Amino acid sequence: MIVFLEKVREKTLFSALDPIITEPLELIYIQTVLSQEGIESYIIDPLFKMNKPGGIIPDLIILSGYNVAENLIIKRANDYKGKYPLAKIMVSGVHAQINRQAFRVSGIDFVYFSQGFETFKIFLGGETVTKGMDIYNKDTKTWTTGEDDLLKNSEDIVPCRGFFNLIKEKTRYIDKKSVALVKGAHGCPYKCNFCYCRLLNKGKYIKPDYGKLMSQVYNIDSEYIWLIDDCFLTTREDALSFIKASKKYSDPGTGAKTPIKCGGAKSLIAYLRADFLVENEDLISELKACGLDEVIVGFESPNPDTLNDYNKGQSSSIYKRLAEILKRKNIELTALFIVDPQYNTGDFLRLFRYIEALNISVYTLSIMTPLKGTLDYENKKQLLTTTDPAKFDFLHLVIPSKLPKWYFYTLFYIGHLRLLKSKRIRKMIRGLL
Ligand code: SF4
């Protein structure tokens, strides 16, 4: 069997800048499983100019992409069906996991929504699959609906880094180059009501095994490691386990309190919550010593009532302290903010002043966007001004704004100007010129 694995990427307004370029990790996991089963496969990713190999006819094509690529995935499936009529087409990935219905269309044979790889291995073995996958029967022209297939424990799959090693020079997180992704957890235990991540695995959160995770980190030949768990450390116990696991990989010559080593010190980037960081301030120096150099934190809003509405479970009153702690500990911050379509001029100005007052130099502004598959989407369905998936990229209004649209966008883009003051952003832009 020969398998093509394609990452389908839709362009966004920021594609020209591409502040974040990372490997298609989910496809690398699939490729690892395929090679364990002795199956030949090729990753196709336009971002890295990895095109489909010439002269090779696939038996199976697996397409994966984010929510914005929904239509493009369906188009690619049909293009492939035209070119390779005997090949089967499967769609997988986090968008398909929650929105399998969207892909039960002409041109697609399987929608893989299992949260793990056991079902995939059964499928590869040619056995009947009854869960984790919807299957199209071309004789009856009907779809068989698979049962839920949740993950109970994390799987022991260490992704092969061969693809990453080929493209690592092109990867980046803002100004940091050669950035590998590592994932240990599944889902998120918090319940922020706008968030898609908490729906994965039907809300059942599976913690990482920090020992195995750090073993992966240690073995990747790259300086920067982005730990992409939706919330990397959720409790103090997690932090202590992570510190213990990191120490195992510390440089024995210089003692435990050094960054882990493997062809050089590792610098870690992780998603963490503000409440966790502030409540565990006494551990931050140790986390820094374990290599934690940058945190990505969902601030969402300076307004406590808005955070309450979002069910964020934390108050914005801790953000100032967080920004101070991180500065003192020399840990870089990317703060994530959400701009609501109901914002008026005052709300925008308050947000801009807030970012300035906290002296936050790297941040993102996302327009509140109800994501297909969430309750928020169902509740706001009647308000949607578009159903084009490409517009659900957090940079477009998909529900009406209170302010005139042109004025809302003007303020939204003005809100990005402060980023030009950031040395890191300027370094990134210089690297593009
Ligand atoms: S903590 Fe972050 S990842 Fe978890 S539900 Fe909230 S926004 Fe989503």
Side-chain angles (χ1 to χ4, degrees):
M1 187 196 281
I2 296 178
V3 183
F4 284 0
L5 305 163
E6 178 165 333
K7 178 81 180 189
V8 182
R9 298 186 190 261
E10 183 69 74
K11 287 202 183 316
T12 73
L13 292 171
F14 284 149
S15 290
L17 279 178
D18 264 342
I20 295 173
I21 298 180
T22 56
E23 75 223 80
L25 188 63
E26 72 283 17
L27 295 185
I28 288 167
Y29 266 93
I30 298 173
Q31 186 167 57
T32 304
V33 172
L34 289 168
S35 71
Q36 283 168 357
E37 302 292 316
I39 295 169
E40 187 178 335
S41 66
Y42 299 86
I43 290 182
I44 298 160
D45 189 338
L47 188 59
F48 300 106
K49 300 195 170 42
M50 290 291 193
N51 300 319
K52 58 180 184 298
I56 294 179
I57 308 228
D59 302 290
L60 174 67
I61 298 154
I62 303 179
L63 304 172
S64 176
Y66 300 124
N67 63 320
V68 286
E70 186 181 294
N71 283 351
L72 205 51
I73 291 172
I74 295 168
K75 183 180 178 308
R76 292 297 293 145
N78 282 286
D79 290 349
Y80 272 123
K81 268 286 179 210
K83 192 165 169 59
Y84 308 113
L86 298 180
K88 296 286 187 190
I89 313 278
M90 177 185 282
V91 174
S92 75
V94 287
H95 181 57
Q97 280 172 15
I98 309 290
N99 293 286
R100 47 210 260 217
Q101 202 63 36
F103 298 105
R104 289 169 51 137
V105 295
S106 161
I108 294 171
D109 300 288
F110 310 109
V111 184
Y112 192 79
F113 62 87
S114 170
Q115 306 289 317
F117 286 101
E118 279 315 304
T119 299
F120 186 57
K121 289 182 193 167
I122 293 169
F123 166 77
L124 293 175
E127 291 174 49
T128 309
V129 170
T130 56
K131 57 182 186 175
M133 193 156 91
D134 289 350
I135 302 170
Y136 183 64
N137 183 323
K138 73 174 174 16
D139 297 327
T140 59
K141 295 190 173 35
T142 55
W143 281 88
T144 307
T145 301
E147 296 159 26
D148 282 347
D149 190 15
L150 304 182
L151 206 57
K152 294 191 182 73
N153 301 298
S154 48
E155 294 176 301
D156 229 351
I157 301 170
V158 178
C160 162
R161 297 289 167 177
F163 184 85
F164 173 73
N165 289 335
L166 284 178
I167 53 95
K168 72 176 167 189
E169 303 304 330
K170 295 181 183 162
T171 59
R172 69 160 172 257
Y173 180 81
I174 311 174
D175 56 330
K176 297 176 175 170
K177 289 199 169 157
S178 190
V179 182
L181 303 182
V182 172
K183 186 165 171 56
H186 214 83
C188 178
Y190 293 94
K191 301 275 178 271
C192 310
N193 55 19
F194 58 85
C195 181
Y196 189 85
C197 310
R198 72 190 182 95
L199 301 177
L200 298 173
N201 211 30
K202 287 226 156 147
K204 188 179 180 314
Y205 170 61
I206 297 171
K207 273 182 199 266
D209 175 323
Y210 293 103
K212 287 181 182 161
L213 184 129
M214 293 319 289
S215 159
Q216 264 198 59
V217 167
Y218 178 77
N219 283 299
I220 297 173
D221 185 11
S222 180
E223 179 181 357
Y224 295 107
I225 307 288
W226 184 354
L227 304 164
I228 54 165
D229 293 347
D230 300 317
C231 188
F232 178 57
L233 304 167
T234 54
T235 63
R236 189 171 177 86
E237 288 65 42
D238 289 352
L240 294 171
S241 304
F242 164 68
I243 291 167
K244 191 171 163 203
S246 301
K247 283 181 176 172
K248 200 174 154 203
Y249 294 99
S250 297
D251 182 344
T254 50
K257 289 194 171 184
T258 60
I260 48 174
K261 304 276 176 180
C262 172
K266 293 283 190 282
S267 178
L268 307 177
I269 306 166
Y271 290 101
L272 285 169
R273 279 176 58 101
D275 50 1
F276 166 84
L277 287 160
V278 169
E279 284 160 22
N280 294 285
E281 184 182 348
D282 59 314
L283 293 181
I284 305 260
S285 296
E286 276 209 85
L287 293 173
K288 170 81 182 171
C290 293
L292 185 70
D293 286 328
E294 172 146 14
V295 290
I296 306 172
V297 180
F299 278 52
E300 329 303 2
S301 167
N303 185 334
D305 294 337
T306 309
L307 290 186
N308 230 3
D309 289 347
Y310 291 166
N311 198 28
K312 186 71 194 174
Q314 69 190 16
S315 165
S316 53
S317 60
I318 59 172
Y319 292 166
K320 187 168 183 290
R321 187 149 151 236
L322 173 69
E324 286 162 2
I325 295 170
L326 294 176
K327 206 142 273 171
R328 204 167 355 105
K329 303 289 181 186
N330 196 23
I331 293 178
E332 288 173 313
L333 165 70
T334 301
L336 313 177
F337 289 96
I338 297 173
V339 171
D340 199 281
Q342 289 309 298
Y343 260 27
N344 57 31
T345 310
D347 294 322
F348 271 108
L349 296 180
R350 260 189 297 281
L351 177 61
F352 301 163
R353 280 198 292 264
Y354 187 78
I355 292 171
E356 195 160 349
L358 267 57
N359 200 14
I360 296 172
S361 54
V362 179
Y363 57 91
T364 65
L365 302 179
S366 302
I367 298 175
M368 173 52 96
T369 303
L371 288 184
K372 206 170 176 180
T374 63
L375 187 60
D376 199 30
Y377 183 90
E378 290 308 314
N379 290 341
K380 293 180 180 154
K381 220 171 181 173
Q382 306 305 321
L383 297 174
L384 293 176
T385 53
T386 176
T387 51
D388 176 2
K391 297 282 190 289
F392 286 67
D393 59 357
F394 305 98
L395 300 172
H396 286 88
L397 280 164
V398 296
I399 51 179
S401 53
K402 194 178 203 174
L403 294 170
K405 206 169 168 182
W406 68 268
Y407 185 47
F408 181 94
Y409 280 128
T410 304
L411 290 172
F412 178 66
Y413 286 109
I414 284 175
H416 289 83
L417 292 180
R418 183 184 153 80
L419 285 170
L420 296 173
K421 286 188 182 171
S422 155
K423 278 188 195 155
R424 295 183 61 197
I425 301 286
R426 291 207 304 272
K427 185 175 166 198
M428 180 194 84
I429 294 172
R430 274 198 307 276
L432 295 173
L433 301 175

